[in-house]
Amino acid sequence: MHEMWKQLLVESCLKGTLRYPSKYDFSPQTMRHFTGQITQIFPCNTQDLNIDTYSLDTLTVEKITPLQNTSKQIIFYLHGGGFCLGSLKTHRAWLCEMARTTGLTVMSLAYPLTPETPFPELNEAVYNAYKALLASGIQADDVILAGDDAGANLALALSLRLVRQKNTVLPRGLMLLSPFIDLTLTSNSIRYNQKHDALLSIDFLKKAIHYYLQNCDFDPSNPRVSPLFDDLAGLPPLLIQVGSKSMLMDDAKRLKDMAVNAEVDVSYKLYTGMWHNFFMFNAWFDEGKMALDDICYFIQHRLNKTN
């Protein structure tokens, strides 16, 4: 099938099966089941990979290790899903390809979801899991912290908390993919990409924010909630990826500009014609494969350039 027709078909299917239903008042539990089933379309190739699970603090981690892995570096990954969706299962295919392409172990954290565990308890659980990771013997300088969508928010917020602690060794690098980091929804692309993004809807984003901030006194503009508004100085080398059709495109662009102003080492890539979290469709689209290659380049040439 021609690439253009394939893309139009996939976008049409996504709009009908994920974006359109998000306008309705389905419970998070129903949406979790639905997205868990939908993401089974992603081909999950576990060849040459070892997958096992264990606990960090009170949370489960899925460890995906290439059989030929010889590096001590690991990618500690926080999945997306608007804080209320997503799981080890939904992201397994994507993270298997990340492990295979980079040659590194990927550790995917099953953090507690909202509305059952809202802010700030959710963030505290992620922080405690990270501390448990380091307590297990893994060195912070061998950790590449990564996340997509809301997971990118949690990863950035965690990194900034570590910067503020001053006496804590930071992760070696930070990778934020299609980041959801402005919960005030003031990015212009929220409006002009509403019809173009095959995955996200304004209704879903508003529900996600409501679940995340329920029963707390924090405003969406608080830097702990929207880390885009925090002081970014001191962050480790940063990779940002986003699609040009994503409703969150300007979250990523603004983050890049603010990180440059804060003198952070930033690698930024905009993927033309791609929607939110397009990289999870790497089995079918060259842009997804390119995103994986760019992640690999960032790790090999930006993070390890002094080795």
Side-chain angles (χ1 to χ4, degrees), residues 186-239:
T186 52
S187 285
N188 289 330
S189 57
I190 295 286
R191 278 79 194 170
Y192 63 70
N193 269 343
Q194 277 191 72
K195 294 182 179 180
H196 304 300
D197 195 326
L199 212 58
L200 284 182
S201 71
I202 189 70
D203 304 271
F204 174 74
L205 293 177
K206 288 178 178 178
K207 281 188 285 189
I209 294 166
H210 170 70
Y211 293 146
Y212 187 51
L213 297 180
Q214 66 176 353
N215 303 323
C216 78
D217 296 326
F218 283 81
D219 186 85
S221 63
N222 188 294
R224 287 183 59 189
V225 173
S226 296
L228 177 67
F229 303 130
D230 210 336
D231 180 3
L232 304 181
L235 284 176
L238 172 62
L239 172 68

Side-chain angles (χ1 to χ4, degrees), residues 110-126:
Y111 59 82
L113 301 176
T114 64
E116 295 89 341
T117 308
F119 176 90
E121 288 83 3
L122 169 51
N123 303 66
E124 198 66 22
V126 171

Side-chain angles (χ1 to χ4, degrees), residues 274-295:
M274 291 290 104
W275 55 88
H276 182 68
N277 273 26
F278 69 93
F279 40 82
M280 295 181 70
F281 298 79
N282 60 85
W284 302 303
F285 294 100
D286 289 341
E287 289 82 0
K289 296 180 179 67
M290 188 186 305
L292 278 168
D293 290 340
D294 291 337
I295 286 171

Side-chain angles (χ1 to χ4, degrees), residues 156 174 176-179 181-182 187 227-230 232-233 235-242 248-270 302:
L156 179 55
L174 181 60
L176 306 180
L177 318 177
S178 296
I181 48 178
D182 175 10
S187 285
L228 177 67
F229 303 130
D230 210 336
L232 304 181
L235 284 176
L238 172 62
L239 172 68
I240 306 168
Q241 294 183 340
V242 71
L248 302 180
M249 180 182 69
D250 285 345
D251 280 29
K253 283 185 173 181
R254 293 160 68 196
L255 176 64
K256 181 257 296 184
D257 292 340
M258 294 174 69
V260 168
N261 290 336
E263 299 183 346
V264 176
D265 180 3
V266 186
S267 299
Y268 170 83
K269 185 70 173 287
L270 178 68
R302 300 296 289 269

Side-chain angles (χ1 to χ4, degrees), residues 161-180:
R161 179 174 180 173
L162 297 174
V163 169
R164 286 192 294 269
Q165 289 179 352
K166 297 186 184 301
N167 61 343
T168 305
V169 180
L170 295 174
R172 188 174 192 85
L174 181 60
M175 303 193 302
L176 306 180
L177 318 177
S178 296
F180 181 27

Side-chain angles (χ1 to χ4, degrees), residues 13-26 31 34 201 203 207:
C13 289
L14 287 174
K15 289 176 181 179
T17 58
L18 287 176
R19 193 180 77 174
Y20 185 73
S22 71
K23 298 175 181 291
Y24 295 96
D25 196 23
F26 294 118
M31 289 299 294
F34 187 59
S201 71
D203 304 271
K207 281 188 285 189

Side-chain angles (χ1 to χ4, degrees), residues 136-149:
S136 72
I138 294 175
Q139 301 298 309
D141 194 49
D142 290 327
V143 177
I144 301 164
L145 185 57
D148 66 89
D149 184 76

